[in-house]
Amino acid sequence: MLTNVRSDRVKSVRSLSRRSVRERTGRFLVDGPQGVREAIRYAAERVDDIYVTSAAADRHHDLVAQAAEAGIHVHETDDAVLAAMADTESPQGLLAVVSTQPHTLEDVLASGPRLLVLLSAVRDPGNAGTVIRGADAFGADAVLVTDGSVDVLAPKVVRSTVGSIFHLPVVTGLEVEATLTALEEHGIRTFAADGVGSTLLPDVDVSRPHAWVMGNEAWGLPAEIRDRCSDVVRVPIHDRVESLNLAMAATVCLAASAGATRRA
Amino acid sequence: MLTNVRSDRVKSVRSLSRRSVRERTGRFLVDGPQGVREAIRYAAERVDDIYVTSAAADRHHDLVAQAAEAGIHVHETDDAVLAAMADTESPQGLLAVVSTQPHTLEDVLASGPRLLVLLSAVRDPGNAGTVIRGADAFGADAVLVTDGSVDVLAPKVVRSTVGSIFHLPVVTGLEVEATLTALEEHGIRTFAADGVGSTLLPDVDVSRPHAWVMGNEAWGLPAEIRDRCSDVVRVPIHDRVESLNLAMAATVCLAASAGATRRA
């Protein structure tokens, strides 16, 4: 049982809350039973260590057993050590340290994707995580993220994905214009989701391969990015409402795409 | 210019962050330009006071002019006073104190509503606010909230609605079973939105009056509530994903209802 909150191990796990450390070490933190469960299920070979309190080990004995069976090091800790390792104020007693798996746009394009999401300058961790979760739920093939966006391996983003970060490739550090060009060259239509769009969502042809392009929470997509897209699409909403938030707009667009896939 | 952070006025405005004070005084706080703008536009007669820093008054001079024209008391404050009044860590320089307007279920039912949302034991302020914003965007006639839910006049909820709290009636303190009975007696079908539902969202008849019933973030709707509803409806999602979060599910259901309204 790990009980020394001042140990090098505790410091090293805790330091993964910082982007620079994640990038240098190629590792990130997953906290909470749902995220850890999906890590074991979908990426066991990348899970370096699991830390669990006695109470959480009792609550989630199946999960601990699966981890041990997969050959993952499971360490019991006391509550203080787990709290010192975790980034959250109320950790749920279970943490995993996972190696990153870099995905490339080339790999994604080579797989013949039918539905993608491109996040451009999205800054809020909860929004980014919710969009990744929505992309997963509605059957997207990958999420693409520009270099001006939040780090998708930040603890708050990983937590908001509730495990979806392990279900589909998330490509980061992309340049938005080069990415739009690459998508178009591969026959993937690019739909800017923006309240200024003149095309309404129900009128969009989502039966062929396409990517939803989502902009920043506050200022949306700059005109020069919108103009580069195949179409600018608006979710029809009541006049009295200025806008939907980013996660809501992405959810509605992705649900429309998923509906078309089911009908096809 | 108000400069005394220890004044009774500052204490009295700040105390509106507490539910007990809101209930005793019948007043609540609105912070940020978007919320204050909608308060002036849709509920000017209920806006008691507006507090604004010099910088914010410059940025939003149209808004300050509208408030003055509507006969609302506008008080300039220094940054410290506004920060002491506000509940947020980064206030946007603009606050309104607004009188509550109690709505009743009877009034809502008498208006012949076609689309409603019933929140049962929803606890997270951001979720509640986002659902109210979504209900507004997709043309719902009112939002109904059970007594075990978050206070919709809490600053975090009001902020998340981005002004929508002034666009449609929000009825609070309801008992869930009595509300379901009242809805049914008025010919309004009740659709429990829950991942266990056997009816898929695209198969639901949303052309007639109906209410979406949304449960708690963590445990959903209890079986006895689901059984009381006309139908239990599931948003179709990918097998690998356990669930959508509450705000996403509500958004997709409401968007489906709004789509049917447009087609009708």
Side-chain angles (χ1 to χ4, degrees), chain A residues 3-24:
Chain A
T3 57
N4 180 4
V5 295
R6 286 187 192 79
S7 71
D8 285 349
R9 184 185 284 268
V10 169
K11 279 179 206 150
S12 124
V13 172
R14 176 60 190 237
S15 69
L16 294 173
S17 299
R18 298 208 305 273
R19 183 174 194 156
S20 59
V21 178
R22 289 193 295 275
E23 289 178 348
R24 196 180 67 233

mmCIF file of all heavy atoms in Angstrom, chain A residues 3-24:
data_model
loop_
_atom_site.group_PDB
_atom_site.id
_atom_site.type_symbol
_atom_site.label_atom_id
_atom_site.label_comp_id
_atom_site.label_asym_id
_atom_site.label_seq_id
_atom_site.Cartn_x
_atom_site.Cartn_y
_atom_site.Cartn_z
ATOM 1 N N THR A 3 1.669 4.923 0.844
ATOM 2 C CA THR A 3 1.171 5.816 1.895
ATOM 3 C C THR A 3 1.977 7.110 2.001
ATOM 4 O O THR A 3 1.619 7.990 2.782
ATOM 5 C CB THR A 3 1.229 5.125 3.276
ATOM 6 O OG1 THR A 3 2.586 4.726 3.518
ATOM 7 C CG2 THR A 3 0.304 3.913 3.340
ATOM 8 N N ASN A 4 3.043 7.226 1.213
ATOM 9 C CA ASN A 4 3.919 8.402 1.326
ATOM 10 C C ASN A 4 3.539 9.458 0.275
ATOM 11 O O ASN A 4 3.891 9.333 -0.899
ATOM 12 C CB ASN A 4 5.376 7.970 1.161
ATOM 13 C CG ASN A 4 6.334 9.157 1.263
ATOM 14 O OD1 ASN A 4 5.912 10.294 1.527
ATOM 15 N ND2 ASN A 4 7.605 8.881 1.055
ATOM 16 N N VAL A 5 2.818 10.494 0.714
ATOM 17 C CA VAL A 5 2.368 11.510 -0.248
ATOM 18 C C VAL A 5 3.530 12.315 -0.824
ATOM 19 O O VAL A 5 3.350 13.038 -1.804
ATOM 20 C CB VAL A 5 1.336 12.496 0.366
ATOM 21 C CG1 VAL A 5 0.043 11.777 0.741
ATOM 22 C CG2 VAL A 5 1.913 13.252 1.543
ATOM 23 N N ARG A 6 4.717 12.197 -0.211
ATOM 24 C CA ARG A 6 5.858 12.972 -0.708
ATOM 25 C C ARG A 6 6.798 12.151 -1.587
ATOM 26 O O ARG A 6 7.885 12.584 -1.937
ATOM 27 C CB ARG A 6 6.639 13.565 0.473
ATOM 28 C CG ARG A 6 5.901 14.731 1.117
ATOM 29 C CD ARG A 6 6.708 15.449 2.178
ATOM 30 N NE ARG A 6 5.830 16.333 2.925
ATOM 31 C CZ ARG A 6 5.000 15.927 3.890
ATOM 32 N NH1 ARG A 6 4.948 14.649 4.222
ATOM 33 N NH2 ARG A 6 4.224 16.804 4.503
ATOM 34 N N SER A 7 6.377 10.962 -1.952
ATOM 35 C CA SER A 7 7.264 10.106 -2.748
ATOM 36 C C SER A 7 7.435 10.644 -4.168
ATOM 37 O O SER A 7 6.597 11.409 -4.670
ATOM 38 C CB SER A 7 6.689 8.686 -2.811
ATOM 39 O OG SER A 7 5.530 8.693 -3.624
ATOM 40 N N ASP A 8 8.508 10.224 -4.817
ATOM 41 C CA ASP A 8 8.761 10.623 -6.205
ATOM 42 C C ASP A 8 7.644 10.134 -7.121
ATOM 43 O O ASP A 8 7.261 10.802 -8.082
ATOM 44 C CB ASP A 8 10.097 10.033 -6.671
ATOM 45 C CG ASP A 8 11.274 10.781 -6.072
ATOM 46 O OD1 ASP A 8 11.032 11.867 -5.486
ATOM 47 O OD2 ASP A 8 12.409 10.283 -6.162
ATOM 48 N N ARG A 9 7.114 8.963 -6.805
ATOM 49 C CA ARG A 9 6.047 8.411 -7.631
ATOM 50 C C ARG A 9 4.809 9.328 -7.609
ATOM 51 O O ARG A 9 4.213 9.610 -8.654
ATOM 52 C CB ARG A 9 5.671 7.018 -7.139
ATOM 53 C CG ARG A 9 4.639 6.341 -8.019
ATOM 54 C CD ARG A 9 4.188 5.014 -7.439
ATOM 55 N NE ARG A 9 5.151 3.950 -7.617
ATOM 56 C CZ ARG A 9 5.160 3.112 -8.656
ATOM 57 N NH1 ARG A 9 4.273 3.260 -9.628
ATOM 58 N NH2 ARG A 9 6.032 2.148 -8.750
ATOM 59 N N VAL A 10 4.442 9.785 -6.408
ATOM 60 C CA VAL A 10 3.282 10.670 -6.298
ATOM 61 C C VAL A 10 3.528 11.949 -7.092
ATOM 62 O O VAL A 10 2.682 12.404 -7.864
ATOM 63 C CB VAL A 10 2.967 10.978 -4.814
ATOM 64 C CG1 VAL A 10 1.935 12.100 -4.714
ATOM 65 C CG2 VAL A 10 2.467 9.728 -4.106
ATOM 66 N N LYS A 11 4.723 12.497 -6.930
ATOM 67 C CA LYS A 11 5.052 13.743 -7.661
ATOM 68 C C LYS A 11 5.006 13.516 -9.161
ATOM 69 O O LYS A 11 4.519 14.355 -9.922
ATOM 70 C CB LYS A 11 6.458 14.224 -7.270
ATOM 71 C CG LYS A 11 6.476 14.975 -5.951
ATOM 72 C CD LYS A 11 7.904 15.421 -5.590
ATOM 73 C CE LYS A 11 8.028 15.567 -4.087
ATOM 74 N NZ LYS A 11 9.391 15.289 -3.591
ATOM 75 N N SER A 12 5.514 12.377 -9.580
ATOM 76 C CA SER A 12 5.590 12.129 -11.028
ATOM 77 C C SER A 12 4.184 11.934 -11.623
ATOM 78 O O SER A 12 3.884 12.419 -12.713
ATOM 79 C CB SER A 12 6.551 10.959 -11.266
ATOM 80 O OG SER A 12 5.942 9.942 -11.980
ATOM 81 N N VAL A 13 3.309 11.246 -10.900
ATOM 82 C CA VAL A 13 1.933 11.081 -11.399
ATOM 83 C C VAL A 13 1.229 12.438 -11.423
ATOM 84 O O VAL A 13 0.618 12.828 -12.422
ATOM 85 C CB VAL A 13 1.149 10.063 -10.529
ATOM 86 C CG1 VAL A 13 -0.318 10.037 -10.934
ATOM 87 C CG2 VAL A 13 1.767 8.672 -10.648
ATOM 88 N N ARG A 14 1.354 13.156 -10.318
ATOM 89 C CA ARG A 14 0.685 14.451 -10.226
ATOM 90 C C ARG A 14 1.149 15.413 -11.325
ATOM 91 O O ARG A 14 0.375 16.223 -11.840
ATOM 92 C CB ARG A 14 0.951 15.060 -8.836
ATOM 93 C CG ARG A 14 0.398 16.466 -8.643
ATOM 94 C CD ARG A 14 -1.122 16.445 -8.831
ATOM 95 N NE ARG A 14 -1.690 17.769 -8.888
ATOM 96 C CZ ARG A 14 -2.648 18.201 -8.073
ATOM 97 N NH1 ARG A 14 -3.115 17.422 -7.135
ATOM 98 N NH2 ARG A 14 -3.137 19.408 -8.202
ATOM 99 N N SER A 15 2.427 15.313 -11.686
ATOM 100 C CA SER A 15 2.979 16.264 -12.667
ATOM 101 C C SER A 15 2.344 16.074 -14.044
ATOM 102 O O SER A 15 2.454 16.945 -14.913
ATOM 103 C CB SER A 15 4.505 16.119 -12.761
ATOM 104 O OG SER A 15 4.837 14.883 -13.356
ATOM 105 N N LEU A 16 1.642 14.945 -14.249
ATOM 106 C CA LEU A 16 0.975 14.726 -15.540
ATOM 107 C C LEU A 16 -0.236 15.642 -15.732
ATOM 108 O O LEU A 16 -0.835 15.675 -16.807
ATOM 109 C CB LEU A 16 0.554 13.258 -15.677
ATOM 110 C CG LEU A 16 1.720 12.264 -15.763
ATOM 111 C CD1 LEU A 16 1.214 10.831 -15.713
ATOM 112 C CD2 LEU A 16 2.539 12.492 -17.034
ATOM 113 N N SER A 17 -0.583 16.402 -14.698
ATOM 114 C CA SER A 17 -1.600 17.436 -14.871
ATOM 115 C C SER A 17 -1.089 18.572 -15.754
ATOM 116 O O SER A 17 -1.875 19.376 -16.245
ATOM 117 C CB SER A 17 -2.003 18.026 -13.506
ATOM 118 O OG SER A 17 -2.543 17.021 -12.689
ATOM 119 N N ARG A 18 0.237 18.639 -15.933
ATOM 120 C CA ARG A 18 0.822 19.724 -16.732
ATOM 121 C C ARG A 18 1.088 19.266 -18.167
ATOM 122 O O ARG A 18 1.668 18.209 -18.406
ATOM 123 C CB ARG A 18 2.140 20.187 -16.095
ATOM 124 C CG ARG A 18 1.940 20.749 -14.679
ATOM 125 C CD ARG A 18 3.015 21.780 -14.316
ATOM 126 N NE ARG A 18 4.373 21.287 -14.465
ATOM 127 C CZ ARG A 18 5.027 20.620 -13.503
ATOM 128 N NH1 ARG A 18 4.459 20.364 -12.344
ATOM 129 N NH2 ARG A 18 6.256 20.201 -13.709
ATOM 130 N N ARG A 19 0.694 20.101 -19.110
ATOM 131 C CA ARG A 19 0.840 19.748 -20.524
ATOM 132 C C ARG A 19 2.298 19.449 -20.895
ATOM 133 O O ARG A 19 2.583 18.484 -21.615
ATOM 134 C CB ARG A 19 0.314 20.907 -21.387
ATOM 135 C CG ARG A 19 0.359 20.607 -22.875
ATOM 136 C CD ARG A 19 -0.306 21.710 -23.684
ATOM 137 N NE ARG A 19 -0.552 21.263 -25.045
ATOM 138 C CZ ARG A 19 -1.474 21.765 -25.847
ATOM 139 N NH1 ARG A 19 -2.244 22.754 -25.440
ATOM 140 N NH2 ARG A 19 -1.640 21.292 -27.071
ATOM 141 N N SER A 20 3.225 20.277 -20.387
ATOM 142 C CA SER A 20 4.635 20.105 -20.761
ATOM 143 C C SER A 20 5.138 18.727 -20.315
ATOM 144 O O SER A 20 5.897 18.079 -21.042
ATOM 145 C CB SER A 20 5.478 21.212 -20.127
ATOM 146 O OG SER A 20 5.338 21.180 -18.716
ATOM 147 N N VAL A 21 4.703 18.283 -19.148
ATOM 148 C CA VAL A 21 5.134 16.968 -18.655
ATOM 149 C C VAL A 21 4.502 15.854 -19.492
ATOM 150 O O VAL A 21 5.160 14.861 -19.837
ATOM 151 C CB VAL A 21 4.801 16.805 -17.154
ATOM 152 C CG1 VAL A 21 5.195 15.420 -16.659
ATOM 153 C CG2 VAL A 21 5.486 17.890 -16.337
ATOM 154 N N ARG A 22 3.223 16.034 -19.845
ATOM 155 C CA ARG A 22 2.574 15.023 -20.696
ATOM 156 C C ARG A 22 3.310 14.889 -22.023
ATOM 157 O O ARG A 22 3.523 13.793 -22.531
ATOM 158 C CB ARG A 22 1.109 15.394 -20.961
ATOM 159 C CG ARG A 22 0.210 15.258 -19.744
ATOM 160 C CD ARG A 22 -1.258 15.322 -20.130
ATOM 161 N NE ARG A 22 -1.673 16.611 -20.683
ATOM 162 C CZ ARG A 22 -2.050 17.658 -19.964
ATOM 163 N NH1 ARG A 22 -2.040 17.602 -18.642
ATOM 164 N NH2 ARG A 22 -2.428 18.779 -20.543
ATOM 165 N N GLU A 23 3.682 16.039 -22.576
ATOM 166 C CA GLU A 23 4.339 15.988 -23.887
ATOM 167 C C GLU A 23 5.740 15.376 -23.789
ATOM 168 O O GLU A 23 6.162 14.625 -24.661
ATOM 169 C CB GLU A 23 4.380 17.396 -24.500
ATOM 170 C CG GLU A 23 2.965 17.810 -24.916
ATOM 171 C CD GLU A 23 2.867 19.211 -25.489
ATOM 172 O OE1 GLU A 23 3.851 19.991 -25.367
ATOM 173 O OE2 GLU A 23 1.790 19.534 -26.040
ATOM 174 N N ARG A 24 6.456 15.700 -22.706
ATOM 175 C CA ARG A 24 7.817 15.183 -22.556
ATOM 176 C C ARG A 24 7.812 13.680 -22.297
ATOM 177 O O ARG A 24 8.631 12.939 -22.842
ATOM 178 C CB ARG A 24 8.509 15.916 -21.401
ATOM 179 C CG ARG A 24 10.018 15.759 -21.393
ATOM 180 C CD ARG A 24 10.655 16.504 -20.236
ATOM 181 N NE ARG A 24 10.292 15.905 -18.962
ATOM 182 C CZ ARG A 24 9.757 16.570 -17.937
ATOM 183 N NH1 ARG A 24 9.519 17.868 -18.032
ATOM 184 N NH2 ARG A 24 9.469 15.951 -16.815
#
